[in-house]
Amino acid sequence: MAERSFAREVEDLTLGDGELFRGEGILAITKALLQSGVSYVGGYQGSPISHLMDVLADAKPVLDDLGVHFESSASEAAAAAMLAASINYSLRGAVTWKSTAGTNVASDALTNLASSGVKGGALIILGEDYGEGSSIPQERSHAFAMKSQMWLLDPRPNLESIVKSVEDGFELSEASNTPVMLQVRIRACHVHGQFVAKDNRKPAFTMREALENPIRDLNRIVLPPQSITVHDREKLEQRWPAALDFIRERQLNEFFGPEEGPVGIVLQGGMYNSVIRALQLLGLADSYGNTSVPLYVLNVTYPLLDDEVVRFCQSKRAVLMVEEGHPDYLEQAVNTALRRKDVQTRVAGKDRLPLGGDYTASVLMKGIQSFLDEFEPQMLGNRPPLPSADAVLGSPQVKALAEVVPARPAGFCTGCPERPIFAAMKLVEKELGQHHISADIGCHLFSILPPFNIGGSTMGYGLGPASASAFNVPAGKRPISVMGDGGFWHNGLNTSVGNAVYNKHDGVIMIVDNHYSAATGGQDILSSRAENPLRSTNNSITKAVQGIGAKWVRQIDRTYDVSKMRDTLKAALTSDVEGPKVIVASSECMLNKQRREKPLFSKGVKDGKRMVRQRFGVDEDTCTGDHACIRLSGCPSLSLKHLDDPLRDDPVASIDNTCVGCGNCGEVSEAAVLCPSFYRADIIYNPTRLDRVVAKLRGAVIGFFQRRRAARRIAFA
Amino acid sequence: MTVPFEKPIAIAILAMGGQGGGVLADWIVSMAEAQGWAAQSTSVPGVAQRTGATIYYVELLRPSADGKMPVLSLMPTPGDVDIVLAAEFMEAGRSMMRGLVTPDRTTLIASTHRSYAVGEKEMPGDGTSDPQMVADASGIAARRSIVFDMQRLAEKNGSVISSAMFGALAGAAVLPFGRAAFEDAIRAGGKGVEASLRAFAAAFERAEQGAADPVQRKPTPVEAAVPEKSDHPKLDALLIRLRMAVPLGVQPITFAGLKKVVDWQDPSYGEEYLDRLAALHKLDVEAGGANRDYAFTEAAAKYLANAMTYDDVIRVADLKTRATRFDRVRKEIGAKAEQVVYTTEYMHPRMEEVAGTLPARMGRWLTANRPLYNRLDRFFSKGRHVKTGTLFWFAGLYVVSALKPMRRGMLRHEMETAHVARWLDTATGVLPTNYDLATAVLGARRLIKGYSDTHSRGLTKFDKVMSAVPLLSMRADGGQWLGRLVQAALADEAGSTLDAALQTIHSFADSAPA
C-alpha cells in the first residue's frame, strides 16, 4: 500500500480528447504515456517520480482496459532490462526512476539496450533530482546519454511541453532505433498546471501477439563481433543521423523572440521558465514569454544539431549558454560546432554563471545582465529596478537570525519503528564504545543526523554492509552496517549479505525491516506483510538470509523493545560464530500503519465499539529538564515546555497530542534508566459496563486513600 | 517590442513536513483557477516530507486578453515575493534569511507557535531560540506582518493549521479574491470542511484586525505573593518566620521554596529550610548584600529549596499517587468524562535506590557488602511497568510513599545533606571576598538534575565547575566566569564544552595571577 491513494487522480487518466487536465507534472506524464499507446511500463519508485508508479499501481482497471502491462520493478536495473521487449518487437515501453541514483544502477542494461537498438519506442523517464532539496549526488543524466548514445529530452517545464515531449520521445526512439531519456526536474515533476488531453490509445501491437510470435535477430544481440561491426557502426552511421533528421524536421527544439539580433541565449528546455523570469525582471520579456532576446531552447539536449546551433549563432556577436550543472557538456559542444564551421560568435556561459547549483531566476538575472553588459549594453536600456533582498539581508536584525533559526533536518516520523533501533545502538555505544558504522540509503539514514549522530558513510542502495567489507580483520571491535528492507531486496541480499557470507565477514548487519519501501512513499516489496492481490508479498528476509548461508540470524518482531534490541546487538558484537551476524529488526512503518489504522479506529469509536488509544505523557513534577530522553529519541511529538515555576531554570520534556503511543519513550527511559517521568495513558473509548464497574471500584478504593492522605498532609495550597 | 511585464502575485509557503503546506498551496491554486486566473504551484518534497523544512511556491496571474497563458516561475526570487506564509515562527525567520521578505512588497503571515528543532530540544539545559529576534527582524524586513498563534487557533476549532493560515491570508486582504472564493475552495476540497471553515473564520477575523501578537521565549515565572494566612497553624508559624528571615524583595521566591520543601516533607522540614536560609541571609548582610538586592539570599532561597527536595523513590511514589496527578493526566491527554483512563509508569529502580531508602547505617553496610549488594541488584534492578490505576500497583506506590516520616534517617538523605553542606560551605567561604562568585556557586546547583546516569553526569559536571572556584576566587569577574562554566556544562551531554571552558580558566590562572 503506497503512502497516498491516487484513486481520484486515476480518474484524470481516463480524460478524453479536448478535455482539460489539471494537476501535477508527474501525473501529466502518466497520462501522456497512455495517450502514446504504450504497451508496458515499469520502474523503481523514488522522489520525484514515485507518484507515477503509485498512480499506475492504483490504475489497474484503466491499464487492463488498454492492455498495458505494468510492474513495479525490483530495481532500476530490472526496469531498464524490461525495455529489452522493444528490441525485437514494435512495442512501446516506458520505464522510470530517480536519476542519477537509478541510472547508475540501470547502466549495465542501458548500455546493452543502447547497443542493440530498439524497434519499438523505448522511453526512460528520469526524475532529475538536482539542486536544492536533493537527496542524491549532484550529477547529471547528460553523461549517461553521451556515453551510451541515447537521446536526452529536457522539455520546457510546463505540462503541455512535457506531454508533447513524451509523445515526441516515442517517435524519436522509433525513427532512430534508439532508447530515449526524458529528464524532468524535481520542481517540474511537482508543478501544477494544465493541458488539453487526448484519448488514450490501445497499443497497435500487443504484448501477447509478440509473445506468441517470437522474433530472433542475431544482429540485435550484444556479442562480438556484432557490438563493434554492427552496433557501433549503426549508432554512428544510421541512428545518429536519423535522430538529427527527426529532431530537425519535427522542430523539437524551439526558437523564441526576434529571428535576428546581436546576441542570443541558448538554453536547456528545463531552464526556460527561469530564463524568462530573469528576462522579465530585466525588462526584456513580457508576462506571456514574448522576449526581445532571441532564444534557442534545447528541448533535446543530446544530440545537438550542429547546423541549428550555427544558424542561430552565426549572425550574432555572442550567445549565452545556459546549462545547469557541471561539467559544461553543452557549452563545449556548442563551441565545437561553431569552430568546425569557423563561426566566430563568442560563447559565454560558465564564465559568468555559477559552475554548479540551482540556476534560479536571480542567478540567471545576474548572469544575463553581465552578459548583456559586455556584449549588448543598450538592451538593458531603461534598466528597471531589479528585485533584491540585499539591503534587508545586510541589516543587523536579519543577520542576527543566523544565530537563532535552527537547522531543521529531516528525521524519523512520530512513532517510527526505526527510532528505537538507533536508541539501542546508542546505548550499546555508551557501553562498548563508538563503532564503525556503515549506513545505507533509506529512512534509516536519518540516524546520521542529530540526535543520534550514528553512521559514517553511505555508498548506495543496499550497499551498507558491502561498504564495511574492508573491515574484515581481527580487531577489538566489529563493524556495524545498516540496510533497509528496500535496499535489501533492491540489491543487498547478494551484494551485501551474500558478499559477507562468502567472505566470512565478521561484522554485524542490521536489516531494518519496516514492511515497505518506506522512504520512497511506502510501496510494497517482497517482504511486505500486507496481502497484495497483484504481487507476491510476505517473503521472509530472515529465510532469505539463512538461505544464502548466514548462520547467526536473529529476528526481532517488535523494535520498540529497546532492551531486547540492545541485548541482541550486544550479543551480535560479542558472538563467537563465524561469518556475518545478521539482525532483522522488524516493525511496521508508523506512517503507513497510522494511515491504515486511524480511520478504522475513528470508525470503531463512532460505531460505539470499545476502543483503546495509547499515548505517552511526561510528569512535569519529576522531569528535571535534562532532555536525555530527547537525545535518545528526536520524536517530533516529544518536545519541550517552559514552566512558569520560579524555582525551575530549564524547560521540561513534554509530549503533544500527535503522540501515537508507540512506546519508545517508556522503553528507552527504562532501558537507559533515565527517569520515572514517562507514563503511558490508555484511554478507553466507549468503555463497556465491566470497564465502568471496575474503574468505579478502583476509583473508590484509590480515592479513599488519596483523600485520607490529602487530609493529613500539611502543605500550602 | 514586447508589452511591459505584469508581475504575477508571488506566494511562498514555508512549512515543515506534515504541516499541510501542500493543502494550503492547493487551496490557493484551485481558488485562483476558479476565478479565471492562471495558477502554478511547485514544491520540493523529497525527504523534507519527513519533518524537515520545505517551501511551496505559488504564482498567480490573469491570462492575457486573448487567452494566452503567462510564463510563471518555479521558484521564488529574493526581493520579488508578495506574500510569505510561515507555518511556524522560526520558519518565518528562515524566510527572512532567504531574502523572501522585503519591506517594499512582502506581507508576512506567520504563526507564532514554536515547534522546536532537534538541535534546540536535545540540549541538557535550555537550547530554545529566542523568537523576539524573529519579531525584531520582521519589523524591518516585512512591509506588513500578521502574526498570531494559528496552531492554537486551529486546534481550538478542531482543525489544522493550514485552514487557519488560509483564513489569515483571506483576512489580510492581499489577494484580489473575496472571502467567498476562499471558502468555496475549502468546500471544493471536500475534507473536514466544517472544522476547516470554523478555523478559517476565526483566523480571518484576527487577520482582518491586523493581529500582531507579542512573542515570548518562555512564560515569566509567576511568583505568588506571600499569603497572610494559611489553613493550618503550623503553616502560619512558618509564614511569620519567613517574613522575619528574609527581606521583602526575596520573600516571594522564598515562599515558593518553602511551599515546595513543606510539600516534599513536612512543616518542620520547612522550618529547617528557613533556619538555613536565615543563616545564609545573615552572612549576605555582612557581605554587603544590601547593595546588591540580596542576590545571594535570593539564589539561596531558590537553589536550597531545590537541593532539599531531591528526587527519591518516596517523592516519585508520592507524586504519582496523588489525586491531583490523576486529574492532570486526564486533562493533558484530553480525556472526556465518559472515558476510562489508566496510566502505566515506566520505572527502573536500581539497588542504589533501595539502599538509599534503608536506614543510613544499614544502607552503608549493604553498600559496602558488594557481593550481597550485587546479588540483590540483579533482583531489584529491572524495568517495571507500574499500572498506577490498579489496586495492586497503587498500593505498592502508596506504601513506598508512606515511608516519608522515616526519610530523614535514610542513607540517601544523609548523602544529600552532606552534599548540600559542602556546597553551601564553598559558597559562604567566598562570600566575604567575592560576592558574585558566591552567588554563582549557588546557581551551579542547576546542574544537578535527573536520575541514575543523568544524575551522576550532572554531579560530575557540578564537581568540575566547583573545582574552578578556588581559581576564580580572586577575580572580580569570577562570578561571570562561573556562570559561563554552568552554561558550558549545559551545552552538551558529554561535557566537552565545559572541559574546553575549564581549560581556558586554567590557562589564565596559570599565566597571570589576577
Side-chain angles (χ1 to χ4, degrees):
Chain A
M1 186 180 79
E3 195 164 299
R4 261 176 72 181
S5 161
F6 288 88
R8 206 211 62 70
E9 283 80 357
V10 168
E11 290 169 26
D12 292 340
L13 296 185
T14 57
L15 290 177
D17 226 3
E19 292 184 278
L20 193 65
F21 174 104
R22 274 183 176 151
E24 218 183 355
I26 205 69
L27 301 175
I29 292 176
T30 316
K31 170 68 174 143
L33 292 176
L34 302 182
Q35 292 181 178
S36 305
V38 73
S39 295
Y40 64 96
V41 184
Y44 195 84
Q45 60 273 359
S47 167
I49 55 83
S50 281
H51 289 178
L52 194 161
M53 299 292 295
D54 296 343
V55 173
L56 288 173
D58 284 353
K60 180 147 174 38
V62 181
L63 299 183
D64 284 351
D65 203 35
L66 294 169
V68 179
H69 171 69
F70 166 72
E71 69 179 49
S72 307
S73 311
S75 70
E76 295 84 354
M82 194 182 178
L83 289 175
S86 295
I87 293 174
N88 291 308
Y89 308 96
S90 298
L91 295 164
R92 284 190 169 182
V95 295
T96 186
W97 55 72
K98 173 196 192 84
S99 191
T100 54
T103 318
N104 286 330
V105 177
S107 283
D108 196 359
L110 289 181
T111 293
N112 289 292
L113 181 75
S115 191
S116 294
V118 294
K119 194 188 260 179
L123 194 64
I124 302 148
I125 295 154
L126 304 174
E128 193 84 347
D129 191 5
Y130 176 89
E132 182 191 27
S134 171
S135 53
I136 59 158
Q138 61 305 328
E139 297 184 356
R140 296 174 61 188
S141 302
H142 202 99
F144 292 96
M146 295 200 303
K147 85 167 177 67
S148 296
Q149 281 267 16
M150 296 179 288
W151 319 138
L152 181 62
L153 309 183
D154 186 355
R156 288 192 289 135
N158 64 70
L159 266 47
E160 218 169 297
S161 296
I162 294 170
V163 167
K164 178 171 178 293
S165 216
V166 171
E167 293 164 342
D168 290 343
F170 280 116
E171 288 190 55
L172 170 62
S173 173
E174 281 156 4
S176 60
N177 302 112
T178 302
V180 171
M181 306 203 297
L182 169 69
Q183 78 163 67
V184 197
R185 291 175 172 76
I186 188 160
R187 284 187 180 80
C189 283
H190 297 301
V191 73
H192 170 97
Q194 54 189 49
F195 72 95
V196 179
K198 293 185 194 138
D199 284 335
N200 292 338
R201 261 171 55 197
K202 275 190 185 182
F205 181 59
T206 66
M207 300 297 302
R208 186 187 175 133
E209 282 171 302
L211 194 55
E212 288 172 356
N213 302 283
I215 297 172
R216 184 176 168 280
D217 178 356
L218 193 58
N219 278 340
R220 300 271 68 85
I221 299 173
V222 182
L223 199 74
Q226 274 84 357
S227 45
I228 196 78
T229 57
V230 180
H231 299 163
D232 200 41
R233 209 177 285 161
E234 262 185 31
K235 273 183 175 179
L236 296 172
E237 292 169 9
Q238 292 163 25
R239 299 185 207 164
W240 191 340
L244 295 178
D245 287 345
F246 184 91
I247 298 163
R248 188 183 304 110
E249 277 156 29
R250 296 290 292 272
Q251 299 177 18
L252 297 191
N253 297 325
E254 296 169 286
F255 296 89
F256 295 96
E259 273 194 27
E260 296 300 323
V263 293
I265 300 174
V266 184
L267 58 139
Q268 293 166 306
M271 291 289 100
Y272 173 76
N273 285 40
S274 296
V275 167
I276 288 290
R277 173 52 51 87
L279 291 172
Q280 287 171 337
L281 296 173
L282 289 165
L284 298 169
D286 73 5
S287 306
Y288 308 96
N290 298 309
T291 158
S292 44
V293 180
L295 302 182
Y296 174 34
V297 179
L298 301 173
N299 291 316
V300 185
T301 46
Y302 189 82
L304 207 59
L305 263 63
D306 286 8
D307 48 343
E308 253 182 28
V309 172
V310 168
R311 202 181 80 212
F312 181 76
C313 298
Q314 62 188 358
S315 63
K316 296 183 174 60
R317 195 175 311 142
V319 295
L320 176 69
M321 180 69 233
V322 174
E323 176 185 17
E324 192 177 50
H326 54 92
D328 54 349
Y329 299 119
L330 283 167
E331 195 174 329
Q332 293 177 32
V334 167
N335 271 302
T336 306
L338 297 183
R339 286 305 303 140
R340 282 210 180 106
K341 295 283 178 203
D342 197 24
V343 174
Q344 296 306 319
T345 306
R346 280 282 301 277
V347 179
K350 298 274 179 201
D351 56 346
R352 63 201 65 229
L353 286 162
L355 294 177
D358 281 313
Y359 277 10
T360 62
S362 53
V363 163
L364 288 168
M365 187 174 72
K366 286 180 195 128
I368 293 171
Q369 194 180 22
S370 129
F371 169 71
L372 293 177
D373 258 333
E374 183 173 347
F375 296 103
E376 189 61 13
Q378 61 268 39
M379 277 200 103
L380 292 167
N382 53 357
R383 302 215 181 209
L386 299 180
S388 164
D390 292 350
V392 159
L393 291 176
S395 72
Q397 288 92 331
V398 173
K399 271 189 182 161
L401 290 176
E403 287 160 39
V404 289
V405 174
R408 219 182 272 282
F412 297 118
C413 304
T414 301
C416 177
E418 306 187 8
R419 178 172 289 114
I421 298 175
F422 293 102
M425 218 176 257
K426 265 191 109 171
L427 293 178
V428 169
E429 286 209 327
K430 274 184 186 163
E431 225 173 299
L432 303 180
Q434 204 183 343
H435 282 64
H436 174 90
I437 298 177
S438 301
D440 203 309
I441 312 283
C443 295
H444 45 84
L445 188 58
F446 296 150
S447 68
I448 63 165
L449 300 169
F452 294 112
N453 308 308
I454 278 177
S457 62
T458 169
M459 292 303 293
Y461 207 30
L463 299 183
S467 58
S469 52
F471 297 107
N472 188 20
V473 292
K477 285 178 182 174
R478 283 179 182 156
I480 302 172
S481 53
V482 183
M483 169 166 64
D485 48 350
F488 177 83
W489 293 115
H490 180 270
N491 196 359
L493 172 60
N494 175 32
T495 308
S496 276
V497 182
N499 183 62
V501 169
Y502 182 68
N503 289 302
K504 297 191 172 181
H505 195 278
D506 195 35
V508 176
I509 298 176
M510 173 75 77
I511 301 175
V512 178
D513 169 20
N514 57 28
H515 305 191
Y516 304 92
S517 169
T520 57
Q523 293 81 7
D524 277 342
I525 46 175
L526 273 158
S527 52
S528 290
R529 308 294 168 92
E531 291 298 337
N532 184 329
L534 301 178
R535 310 274 180 248
S536 164
T537 50
N538 288 288
N539 300 293
S540 155
I541 291 178
T542 297
K543 277 192 198 159
V545 168
Q546 285 164 337
I548 210 170
K551 300 280 180 299
W552 196 103
V553 184
R554 300 284 181 277
Q555 167 132 9
I556 295 176
D557 274 325
R558 201 176 71 85
T559 59
Y560 301 102
D561 190 341
V562 175
S563 311
K564 190 171 174 191
M565 281 299 322
R566 177 197 59 199
D567 296 344
T568 309
L569 194 54
K570 260 168 71 182
L573 285 168
T574 50
S575 160
D576 297 331
V577 176
E578 199 177 49
K581 270 59 74 177
V582 183
I583 303 170
V584 182
S586 174
S587 273
E588 185 177 6
C589 164
M590 191 53 87
L591 213 56
N592 280 273
K593 191 175 171 187
Q594 289 296 314
R595 195 168 297 113
R596 194 182 63 240
E597 289 188 345
K598 237 178 167 171
L600 293 179
F601 187 90
S602 305
K603 191 174 179 301
V605 170
K606 222 172 163 186
D607 295 349
K609 282 197 199 124
R610 179 188 193 274
M611 305 294 282
V612 181
R613 182 166 89 91
Q614 297 186 334
R615 62 156 282 189
F616 274 73
V618 174
D619 277 313
E620 57 191 43
D621 293 338
T622 45
C623 173
T624 58
D626 170 72
H627 315 144
C629 53
I630 290 171
R631 291 191 290 278
L632 285 169
S633 164
C635 180
S637 73
L638 175 58
S639 190
L640 301 178
K641 183 163 80 179
H642 287 102
L643 302 176
D644 54 11
D645 181 350
L647 298 175
R648 301 282 202 116
D649 291 308
D650 296 318
V652 296
S654 167
I655 296 177
D656 66 27
N657 223 349
T658 60
C659 171
V660 296
C662 73
N664 183 63
C665 289
E667 300 270 0
V668 160
S669 77
E670 190 180 287
V673 202
L674 289 183
C675 79
S677 308
F678 283 100
Y679 65 82
R680 190 188 77 212
D682 294 8
I683 309 159
I684 307 176
Y685 289 67
N686 304 318
T688 61
R689 168 176 283 200
L690 183 66
D691 284 326
R692 287 198 301 266
V693 169
V694 172
K696 209 165 178 186
L697 204 73
R698 284 171 171 162
V701 178
I702 289 174
F704 169 77
F705 283 101
Q706 283 173 334
R707 279 191 299 278
R708 180 166 171 265
R709 176 166 290 167
R712 292 181 180 185
R713 188 193 306 275
I714 305 170
F716 292 102
Chain B
M1 197 43 217
T2 58
V3 297
F5 165 52
E6 187 192 344
K7 207 191 92 65
I9 300 172
I11 307 168
I13 302 168
L14 281 93
M16 288 164 300
Q19 275 197 313
V23 174
L24 185 54
D26 287 351
W27 276 337
I28 297 172
V29 165
S30 74
M31 168 177 65
E33 284 183 343
Q35 302 295 310
W37 284 54
Q40 179 179 284
S41 69
T42 55
S43 61
V44 186
V47 290
Q49 64 190 283
R50 321 275 184 233
T51 75
T54 188
I55 294 189
Y56 298 83
Y57 183 61
V58 185
E59 285 199 357
L60 313 173
L61 190 66
R62 273 180 206 285
S64 72
D66 56 350
K68 241 185 128 184
M69 295 301 261
V71 180
L72 301 172
S73 174
L74 285 86
M75 43 188 131
T77 302
D80 195 42
V81 181
D82 301 285
I83 303 162
V84 167
L85 292 148
E88 197 263 0
F89 207 54
M90 283 299 149
E91 294 311 306
R94 198 182 312 283
S95 71
M96 288 184 265
M97 284 171 69
R98 296 182 64 143
L100 302 181
V101 183
T102 42
D104 56 329
R105 64 168 68 249
T106 316
T107 301
L108 173 66
I109 299 172
S111 178
T112 52
H113 81 281
R114 282 305 326 278
S115 173
Y116 298 116
V118 168
E120 297 176 275
K121 296 197 285 189
E122 67 175 355
M123 294 287 198
D126 187 354
T128 59
S129 290
D130 184 3
Q132 189 54 47
M133 293 176 75
V134 176
D136 292 348
S138 77
I140 64 138
R143 181 179 177 201
R144 180 152 81 102
S145 299
I146 292 175
V147 291
F148 61 95
D149 192 335
M150 299 178 203
Q151 173 75 26
R152 202 165 59 194
L153 182 143
E155 274 170 16
K156 251 174 44 194
N157 288 283
S159 187
V160 287
I161 191 167
S162 41
S163 28
M165 296 186 72
F166 199 46
L169 177 63
V174 278
L175 288 183
F177 310 116
R179 178 171 178 166
F182 285 80
E183 292 176 329
D184 287 347
I186 292 179
R187 286 195 194 95
K191 269 189 206 157
V193 174
E194 284 315 307
S196 295
L197 286 175
R198 261 201 314 277
F200 173 90
F204 181 93
E205 218 164 279
R206 294 238 46 208
E208 208 178 23
Q209 296 154 3
D213 288 358
V215 290
Q216 207 181 13
R217 181 175 172 206
K218 51 182 176 184
T220 332
V222 182
E223 286 187 1
V226 186
E228 285 305 317
K229 259 193 77 64
S230 74
D231 54 7
H232 198 280
K234 281 190 179 171
L235 299 178
D236 287 339
L238 285 175
L239 289 176
I240 292 165
R241 292 211 47 178
L242 184 155
R243 290 203 164 83
M244 294 192 314
V246 292
L248 198 62
V250 190
Q251 284 176 9
I253 184 83
T254 306
F255 177 63
L258 178 66
K259 193 174 163 184
K260 187 172 184 180
V261 169
V262 172
D263 182 79
W264 189 84
Q265 182 65 20
D266 52 30
S268 76
Y269 199 54
E271 224 167 287
E272 193 179 322
Y273 167 70
L274 290 176
D275 284 348
R276 283 171 140 172
L277 194 60
L280 291 167
H281 177 60
K282 196 159 159 268
L283 296 173
D284 190 0
V285 172
E286 284 163 16
N291 301 326
R292 292 174 153 105
D293 293 335
Y294 301 112
F296 183 79
T297 309
E298 187 169 3
K302 176 176 175 179
Y303 291 106
L304 180 60
N306 286 339
M308 287 176 71
T309 57
Y310 56 86
D311 288 295
D312 63 358
V313 285
I314 298 172
R315 165 107 174 132
V316 171
D318 182 11
L319 290 173
K320 294 260 184 194
T321 49
R322 291 187 184 190
T324 48
R325 190 258 177 172
F326 277 53
D327 295 340
R328 198 188 59 229
V329 166
R330 286 195 73 102
K331 207 176 132 215
E332 249 173 42
I333 60 177
K336 300 207 177 77
E338 71 276 11
Q339 290 166 350
V340 175
V341 174
Y342 287 109
T343 57
T344 303
E345 326 292 340
Y346 286 74
M347 297 186 170
H348 193 138
R350 302 163 308 157
M351 202 48 208
E352 278 99 317
E353 277 83 38
V354 178
T357 314
L358 294 174
R361 275 182 60 187
M362 199 199 284
R364 273 198 303 277
W365 171 81
L366 182 62
T367 311
N369 192 338
R370 278 339 269 192
L372 176 62
Y373 186 94
N374 291 339
R375 245 199 334 275
L376 287 171
D377 186 50
R378 272 196 293 281
F379 175 74
F380 279 107
S381 179
K382 66 174 171 206
R384 282 163 215 276
H385 296 187
V386 177
K387 294 185 170 52
T388 327
T390 62
L391 297 182
F392 173 79
W393 284 110
F394 179 84
L397 289 178
Y398 195 81
V399 166
V400 171
S401 59
L403 297 173
K404 199 167 170 180
M406 276 103 84
R407 195 188 230 165
R408 293 165 85 178
M410 290 176 183
L411 175 63
R412 175 79 190 271
H413 193 71
E414 187 184 275
M415 288 159 63
E416 291 290 339
T417 310
H419 192 266
V420 167
R422 280 200 304 279
W423 164 61
L424 291 179
D425 283 350
T426 311
T428 51
V430 292
L431 180 61
T433 53
N434 196 333
Y435 190 93
D436 290 343
L437 181 61
T439 310
V441 165
L442 294 178
R445 188 78 209 179
R446 178 184 180 184
L447 295 178
I448 299 178
K449 48 167 79 179
Y451 305 76
S452 64
D453 285 358
T454 314
H455 187 251
S456 50
R457 209 168 34 243
L459 273 177
T460 312
K461 284 181 178 172
F462 176 81
D463 291 344
K464 277 188 188 173
V465 170
M466 284 297 133
S467 74
V469 172
L471 299 172
L472 296 169
S473 61
M474 300 306 286
R475 292 185 66 103
D477 60 354
Q480 285 171 32
W481 269 104
L482 201 76
R484 262 172 238 154
L485 286 182
V486 171
Q487 288 301 335
L490 291 169
D492 65 86
E493 180 171 22
S496 32
T497 317
L498 173 62
D499 290 342
L502 274 172
Q503 219 156 26
T504 313
I505 287 178
H506 277 282
S507 68
F508 68 56
D510 291 346
S511 57

